[in-house]
Amino acid sequence: MRSDEFIDLYKQLEDALEEKFSGMKRRYSSVVFEYINHYESAPVRESLNLCREIRNLMTHSANLGGVPIVEPSEPVVEALRAALEYVQRPPLALEYATTGQRIVCAGLSDRVLKLMAMMDKNGFSHIPILDKKRFIGVFSVSTIFSCLLLDPELRLTQETTIRELGQMLPVDRHIENYAFVDRRTPLLEARRMFEKIRGRNKRLSVIFITETGSREEPLLGMLTPYDVMQDD
């Protein structure tokens, strides 16, 4: 019966959420209601609210004169099943990122003007800089801006290399903001990071994804605000 399937799925949902919130401070006794009020539930919040109300009716007012008051429809059961799948495997930021060989990087020996021409042609705004496959910084328009502020006499020629801008490549020297996250970071967490105002009244420009979130590790992915907002 659909009622039995619905109750079983709801129990699986509760178990999955109990594990998710294990060790965390909670505001509500109902773990499902706790999740409904958590930012991560946004894509399934409406469905969960409906399923929670139906489950409460089925549990506390099971029948009237021996006749069930509520019988979940097939679309409701499917919605609960989809919500359970989402809880068990929320979409990851890495799934929406530019990954692997698709990440356009540059090295210290690359020519600055040639790199800028390539960025302009392809619409790239930020290029990771690697030295022997190790991440050392980012090249962007703000890099040139910062270098000129530091050295007004700076002149870019066809021979100027990225190495000569080295002191302004590390992410902590940029006027823009960057972040590193691990490969298991949920998409919605990355989205919230982009929405949040950070230092200097600036939002994040790029999120870099590595195995554990350390900038010392190889890049697995590169995420921009466009990547996570394009479904709006």
Side-chain angles (χ1 to χ4, degrees):
M1 293 178 60
R2 281 199 301 268
S3 294
D4 293 335
E5 183 180 8
F6 179 89
I7 292 298
D8 179 65
L9 287 171
Y10 199 91
K11 180 62 168 61
Q12 292 183 53
L13 175 67
E14 289 179 318
D15 290 343
L17 290 175
E18 287 289 355
E19 182 177 349
K20 182 180 185 66
F21 286 105
S22 177
M24 297 173 59
K25 185 177 180 180
R26 285 165 45 177
R27 295 179 293 168
Y28 307 101
S29 58
S30 166
V31 71
V32 175
F33 195 61
E34 184 76 33
Y35 184 66
I36 286 172
N37 286 276
H38 190 275
Y39 73 85
E40 189 181 292
S41 72
V44 295
R45 185 171 296 143
E46 185 175 343
S47 296
L48 285 180
N49 266 317
L50 175 62
C51 290
R52 180 172 175 269
E53 291 179 9
I54 292 175
R55 184 262 188 184
N56 287 340
L57 283 172
M58 293 174 67
T59 301
H60 302 299
S61 304
N63 61 74
L64 182 62
V67 179
I69 293 178
V70 177
E71 174 71 22
S73 65
E74 187 59 35
V76 167
V77 174
E78 285 302 318
L80 179 55
R81 183 179 291 111
L84 174 60
E85 183 177 343
Y86 176 84
V87 168
Q88 293 174 329
R89 189 187 179 279
L92 302 179
L94 186 58
E95 297 171 14
Y96 287 73
T98 301
T99 59
Q101 298 299 317
R102 294 171 54 228
I103 303 176
V104 178
C105 300
L108 293 174
S109 60
D110 287 328
R111 302 289 200 279
V112 172
L113 293 179
K114 184 176 180 180
L115 180 60
M116 292 174 66
M118 183 275 291
M119 292 171 67
D120 180 62
K121 179 180 178 180
N122 293 281
F124 297 149
S125 56
H126 301 82
I127 300 293
I129 304 301
L130 306 183
D131 183 22
K132 298 178 181 178
K133 298 184 178 181
R134 184 175 65 88
F135 178 90
I136 60 173
V138 178
F139 178 82
S140 69
V141 172
S142 71
T143 306
I144 300 298
F145 180 81
S146 298
C147 286
L148 287 173
L149 284 179
L150 185 68
D151 180 9
E153 301 301 317
L154 176 68
R155 295 291 181 269
L156 296 180
T157 71
Q158 294 296 332
E159 302 305 314
T160 305
T161 65
I162 296 296
R163 188 184 306 277
E164 296 172 60
L165 311 180
Q167 59 183 323
M168 300 308 299
L169 295 175
V171 292
D172 54 1
R173 297 296 303 274
H174 277 245
I175 60 175
E176 299 172 282
N177 291 313
Y178 304 93
F180 285 78
V181 300
D182 66 66
R183 67 179 304 148
R184 289 166 293 280
T185 300
L187 173 65
L188 281 184
E189 183 176 330
R191 191 175 200 152
R192 279 171 60 91
M193 291 172 67
F194 278 125
E195 292 171 348
K196 183 179 179 181
I197 298 293
R198 296 204 165 201
R200 301 172 183 163
N201 202 32
K202 296 283 188 178
R203 299 183 190 273
L204 279 176
S205 295
V206 180
I207 292 177
F208 295 106
I209 304 172
T210 64
E211 185 66 33
T212 68
S214 169
R215 68 179 64 182
E216 302 300 323
E217 298 171 321
L219 286 180
L220 300 179
M222 178 176 172
L223 199 68
T224 68
Y226 174 78
D227 297 323
V228 301
M229 304 297 182
Q230 56 184 320
D231 288 336
D232 284 353

